[in-house]
Protein backbone atom coordinates (compact mmCIF):
# COMPACT_ATOMS: atom_id res chain seq x y z
CA UNK A 1 0.00 0.00 0.00
CA UNK A 2 1.13 3.52 -0.67
CA UNK A 3 0.52 6.71 1.27
CA UNK A 4 1.46 9.05 -1.54
CA UNK A 5 -0.77 11.95 -2.56
CA UNK A 6 0.23 11.42 -6.19
CA UNK A 7 -2.72 10.78 -8.51
CA UNK A 8 -2.28 8.09 -11.17
CA UNK A 9 -3.93 9.24 -14.41
CA UNK A 10 -5.04 6.43 -16.73
CA UNK A 11 -5.51 7.34 -20.39
CA UNK A 12 -7.08 4.60 -22.53
CA UNK A 13 -9.86 4.63 -25.11
CA UNK A 14 -11.21 1.24 -23.97
CA UNK A 15 -13.60 1.52 -21.02
CA UNK A 16 -12.98 -2.05 -19.88
CA UNK A 17 -9.23 -1.44 -19.72
CA UNK A 18 -9.67 1.85 -17.84
CA UNK A 19 -11.96 0.26 -15.30
CA UNK A 20 -9.73 -2.79 -14.84
CA UNK A 21 -6.62 -0.70 -14.26
CA UNK A 22 -8.47 1.69 -11.95
CA UNK A 23 -9.77 -1.23 -9.87
CA UNK A 24 -6.31 -2.79 -9.63
CA UNK A 25 -4.52 0.40 -8.67
CA UNK A 26 -7.17 1.62 -6.25
CA UNK A 27 -6.91 -1.74 -4.48
CA UNK A 28 -3.13 -1.25 -4.29
CA UNK A 29 -3.62 2.08 -2.51
CA UNK A 30 -3.19 4.56 -5.36
CA UNK A 31 -5.42 7.54 -6.00
CA UNK A 32 -6.68 7.10 -9.56
CA UNK A 33 -8.36 9.24 -12.23
CA UNK A 34 -9.39 7.89 -15.63
CA UNK A 35 -9.54 9.67 -19.00
CA UNK A 36 -11.26 8.42 -22.15
CA UNK A 37 -8.79 10.00 -24.56
CA UNK A 38 -5.45 11.75 -24.84
CA UNK A 39 -7.29 14.92 -25.85
CA UNK A 40 -9.35 14.87 -22.64
CA UNK A 41 -6.21 14.43 -20.57
CA UNK A 42 -4.33 17.21 -22.34
CA UNK A 43 -7.14 19.61 -21.46
CA UNK A 44 -6.38 19.28 -17.74
CA UNK A 45 -2.68 18.27 -17.78
CA UNK A 46 -1.35 21.79 -17.19
CA UNK A 47 -3.08 21.92 -13.82
CA UNK A 48 -1.55 18.69 -12.50
CA UNK A 49 1.20 19.38 -9.98
CA UNK A 50 1.59 15.95 -8.42
CA UNK A 51 0.73 13.02 -10.64
CA UNK A 52 1.92 10.29 -12.94
CA UNK A 53 0.49 8.96 -16.19
CA UNK A 54 -0.35 5.54 -17.61
CA UNK A 55 -1.25 5.59 -21.27
CA UNK A 56 -1.80 3.07 -24.02
CA UNK A 57 0.32 3.66 -27.08
CA UNK A 58 -2.36 2.96 -29.68
CA UNK A 59 -5.45 5.16 -29.35
CA UNK A 60 -7.71 6.49 -32.13
CA UNK A 61 -7.63 10.25 -31.50
CA UNK A 62 -3.97 10.61 -30.53
CA UNK A 63 -1.40 7.90 -29.87
CA UNK A 64 0.68 7.72 -26.71
CA UNK A 65 3.85 9.06 -28.35
CA UNK A 66 2.06 12.15 -29.62
CA UNK A 67 0.49 12.66 -26.19
CA UNK A 68 3.89 12.59 -24.51
CA UNK A 69 5.31 14.92 -27.16
CA UNK A 70 2.55 17.45 -26.55
CA UNK A 71 2.98 17.18 -22.78
CA UNK A 72 6.71 17.79 -23.15
CA UNK A 73 6.14 20.79 -25.42
CA UNK A 74 3.67 22.21 -22.89
CA UNK A 75 6.16 21.74 -20.04
CA UNK A 76 3.88 19.23 -18.26
CA UNK A 77 6.62 16.75 -17.40
CA UNK A 78 4.67 14.01 -15.65
CA UNK A 79 6.39 10.67 -14.98
CA UNK A 80 4.76 8.42 -17.57
CA UNK A 81 4.37 4.69 -18.21
CA UNK A 82 3.23 3.45 -21.60
CA UNK A 83 1.43 0.17 -22.24
CA UNK A 84 2.38 -1.53 -25.48
CA UNK A 85 1.01 -4.37 -27.57
CA UNK A 86 3.07 -6.99 -29.36
CA UNK A 87 5.26 -5.41 -32.02
CA UNK A 88 5.08 -1.91 -30.55
CA UNK A 89 8.52 -1.93 -28.93
CA UNK A 90 10.00 0.52 -31.44
CA UNK A 91 7.08 2.86 -30.76
CA UNK A 92 7.61 2.40 -27.02
CA UNK A 93 11.27 3.35 -27.34
CA UNK A 94 10.17 6.49 -29.18
CA UNK A 95 7.84 7.21 -26.27
CA UNK A 96 10.73 6.96 -23.85
CA UNK A 97 12.69 9.44 -25.95
CA UNK A 98 9.74 11.79 -25.41
CA UNK A 99 9.75 11.41 -21.64
CA UNK A 100 8.20 8.05 -20.76
CA UNK A 101 9.75 6.54 -17.64
CA UNK A 102 8.93 2.93 -18.53
CA UNK A 103 7.02 0.76 -20.99
CA UNK A 104 5.19 -2.46 -20.26
CA UNK A 105 4.33 -5.06 -22.87
CA UNK A 106 0.96 -6.82 -22.90
CA UNK A 107 0.14 -9.16 -21.35
CA UNK A 108 1.68 -8.09 -18.05
CA UNK A 109 1.27 -9.16 -14.45
CA UNK A 110 -0.39 -6.90 -11.90
CA UNK A 111 2.82 -6.69 -9.88
CA UNK A 112 4.90 -5.54 -12.84
CA UNK A 113 2.54 -2.60 -13.33
CA UNK A 114 2.34 -1.79 -9.61
CA UNK A 115 6.13 -1.82 -9.28
CA UNK A 116 6.51 0.44 -12.30
CA UNK A 117 3.96 2.90 -10.94
CA UNK A 118 5.75 2.85 -7.60
CA UNK A 119 8.90 4.04 -9.36
CA UNK A 120 6.90 6.70 -11.21
CA UNK A 121 5.35 7.90 -7.96
CA UNK A 122 8.80 8.20 -6.40
CA UNK A 123 9.87 10.26 -9.42
CA UNK A 124 6.77 12.46 -9.10
CA UNK A 125 7.38 13.00 -5.39
CA UNK A 126 11.01 13.86 -6.10
CA UNK A 127 9.92 16.34 -8.76
CA UNK A 128 7.59 18.07 -6.28
CA UNK A 129 10.39 18.27 -3.70
CA UNK A 130 12.77 19.70 -6.29
CA UNK A 131 10.25 22.30 -7.40
CA UNK A 132 9.70 23.34 -3.77
CA UNK A 133 13.46 23.62 -3.22
CA UNK A 134 13.89 25.70 -6.39
CA UNK A 135 11.11 28.05 -5.32
CA UNK A 136 12.84 28.52 -1.96
CA UNK A 137 16.08 29.47 -3.75
CA UNK A 138 14.18 32.01 -5.87
CA UNK A 139 12.62 33.53 -2.76
CA UNK A 140 16.08 33.89 -1.21
CA UNK A 141 17.36 35.50 -4.39
CA UNK A 142 14.53 38.03 -4.20
CA UNK A 143 15.66 38.96 -0.68
CA UNK A 144 19.10 40.10 -1.91
CA UNK A 145 19.89 43.78 -2.17
CA UNK A 146 20.93 45.21 -5.53
CA UNK A 147 24.58 45.29 -4.46
CA UNK A 148 24.45 41.71 -3.15
CA UNK A 149 22.95 40.64 -6.47
CA UNK A 150 25.79 42.38 -8.32
CA UNK A 151 28.37 40.57 -6.20
CA UNK A 152 26.52 37.29 -6.79
CA UNK A 153 26.67 37.91 -10.54
CA UNK A 154 30.43 38.29 -10.29
CA UNK A 155 30.77 35.15 -8.19
CA UNK A 156 28.67 33.07 -10.61
CA UNK A 157 30.78 34.44 -13.49
CA UNK A 158 33.86 33.09 -11.70
CA UNK A 159 35.39 36.49 -11.00
CA UNK A 160 37.79 36.96 -8.05
CA UNK A 161 36.94 39.55 -5.39
CA UNK A 162 39.44 42.05 -6.82
CA UNK A 163 37.79 41.97 -10.23
CA UNK A 164 34.31 42.31 -8.76
CA UNK A 165 35.52 45.20 -6.61
CA UNK A 166 37.07 46.96 -9.59
CA UNK A 167 33.92 46.63 -11.70
CA UNK A 168 31.67 47.87 -8.89
CA UNK A 169 34.01 50.63 -7.70
CA UNK A 170 34.28 49.29 -4.16
CA UNK A 171 37.07 47.69 -2.14
CA UNK A 172 37.79 43.95 -2.11
CA UNK A 173 37.05 43.98 1.62
CA UNK A 174 33.59 45.41 0.93
CA UNK A 175 33.03 42.69 -1.65
CA UNK A 176 33.85 40.13 1.04
CA UNK A 177 31.27 41.72 3.35
CA UNK A 178 28.59 41.62 0.66
CA UNK A 179 29.50 38.06 -0.26
CA UNK A 180 29.22 36.94 3.35
CA UNK A 181 25.85 38.66 3.58
CA UNK A 182 24.43 37.10 0.44
CA UNK A 183 25.69 33.65 1.43
CA UNK A 184 23.86 34.05 4.72
CA UNK A 185 20.63 35.06 2.99
CA UNK A 186 20.98 32.21 0.50
CA UNK A 187 21.82 29.81 3.36
CA UNK A 188 24.82 28.51 1.42
CA UNK A 189 27.49 26.80 3.50
CA UNK A 190 30.19 27.22 0.88
CA UNK A 191 30.92 29.12 -2.30
CA UNK A 192 30.46 25.91 -4.29
CA UNK A 193 27.03 25.33 -2.75
CA UNK A 194 26.03 28.91 -3.54
CA UNK A 195 27.03 28.56 -7.18
CA UNK A 196 25.38 25.14 -7.49
CA UNK A 197 22.01 26.25 -6.11
CA UNK A 198 21.70 29.22 -8.46
CA UNK A 199 22.91 27.24 -11.48
CA UNK A 200 20.31 24.56 -10.73
CA UNK A 201 17.48 27.07 -11.11
CA UNK A 202 18.94 28.43 -14.35
CA UNK A 203 20.12 31.72 -12.88
CA UNK A 204 21.58 34.02 -15.53
CA UNK A 205 23.88 36.80 -14.26
CA UNK A 206 23.34 38.70 -17.49
CA UNK A 207 19.62 38.70 -16.84
Amino acid sequence: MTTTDTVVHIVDDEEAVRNSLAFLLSGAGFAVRVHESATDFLAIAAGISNGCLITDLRMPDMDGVELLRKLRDAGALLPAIVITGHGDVQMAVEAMKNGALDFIEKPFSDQVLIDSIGRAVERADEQVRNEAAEELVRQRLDSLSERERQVLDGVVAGQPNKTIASELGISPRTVEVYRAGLMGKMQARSLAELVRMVIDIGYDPAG
Side-chain angles (χ1 to χ4, degrees), residues 156-203:
V156 174
Q159 296 175 338
N161 284 353
K162 287 184 178 180
T163 301
I164 297 173
S166 177
E167 290 188 356
L168 297 180
I170 57 179
S171 70
R173 173 58 184 158
T174 302
V175 171
E176 291 178 7
V177 172
Y178 280 120
R179 195 171 84 172
L182 73 90
M183 287 184 66
K185 288 182 179 180
M186 295 298 295
Q187 299 184 27
R189 292 165 295 185
S190 68
L191 188 62
E193 184 178 14
L194 173 67
V195 172
R196 170 51 56 193
M197 67 170 62
V198 296
I199 286 177
D200 285 346
I201 65 166
Y203 181 72

Side-chain angles (χ1 to χ4, degrees), residues 8-188:
V8 179
H9 293 267
I10 300 170
V11 179
D12 198 296
D13 61 300
E14 296 184 31
E15 183 178 5
V17 174
R18 293 195 305 271
N19 291 342
S20 176
L21 290 176
F23 180 79
L24 167 65
L25 299 179
S26 296
F30 294 102
V32 178
R33 185 172 174 182
V34 297
H35 308 270
E36 295 182 7
S37 69
T39 301
D40 288 347
F41 179 70
L42 274 175
I44 57 96
I48 299 173
S49 60
N50 190 18
C52 66
L53 168 66
I54 301 175
T55 181
D56 202 334
L57 274 182
R58 296 195 178 276
M59 295 180 287
D61 72 324
M62 182 189 305
D63 65 40
V65 172
E66 183 63 18
L67 170 59
L68 292 175
R69 188 176 294 121
K70 287 183 179 294
L71 288 171
R72 184 193 61 190
D73 292 344
L77 302 178
L78 295 174
I81 299 162
V82 295
I83 297 174
T84 76
H86 179 69
D88 284 343
V89 173
Q90 183 175 356
M91 193 176 178
V93 171
E94 185 64 25
M96 295 191 75
K97 290 179 180 178
N98 282 277
L101 182 66
D102 196 3
F103 68 87
I104 301 175
E105 293 184 85
K106 301 174 184 177
F108 52 83
S109 71
D110 293 351
Q111 194 59 50
V112 166
L113 179 61
I114 290 171
D115 289 346
S116 183
I117 294 172
R119 291 190 293 271
V121 166
E122 289 177 3
R123 178 71 65 87
D125 289 344
E126 180 183 359
Q127 182 174 318
V128 169
R129 289 193 298 270
N130 289 342
E131 289 173 353
E134 289 178 0
E135 178 58 28
L136 187 57
V137 171
R138 292 188 179 93
Q139 290 175 5
R140 292 171 184 169
L141 274 172
D142 289 342
S143 74
L144 300 181
S145 68
E146 181 180 358
R147 185 64 88 188
E148 287 169 337
R149 183 70 73 101
Q150 290 170 338
V151 171
L152 174 62
D153 289 351
V155 169
V156 174
Q159 296 175 338
N161 284 353
K162 287 184 178 180
T163 301
I164 297 173
S166 177
E167 290 188 356
L168 297 180
I170 57 179
S171 70
R173 173 58 184 158
T174 302
V175 171
E176 291 178 7
V177 172
Y178 280 120
R179 195 171 84 172
L182 73 90
M183 287 184 66
K185 288 182 179 180
M186 295 298 295
Q187 299 184 27

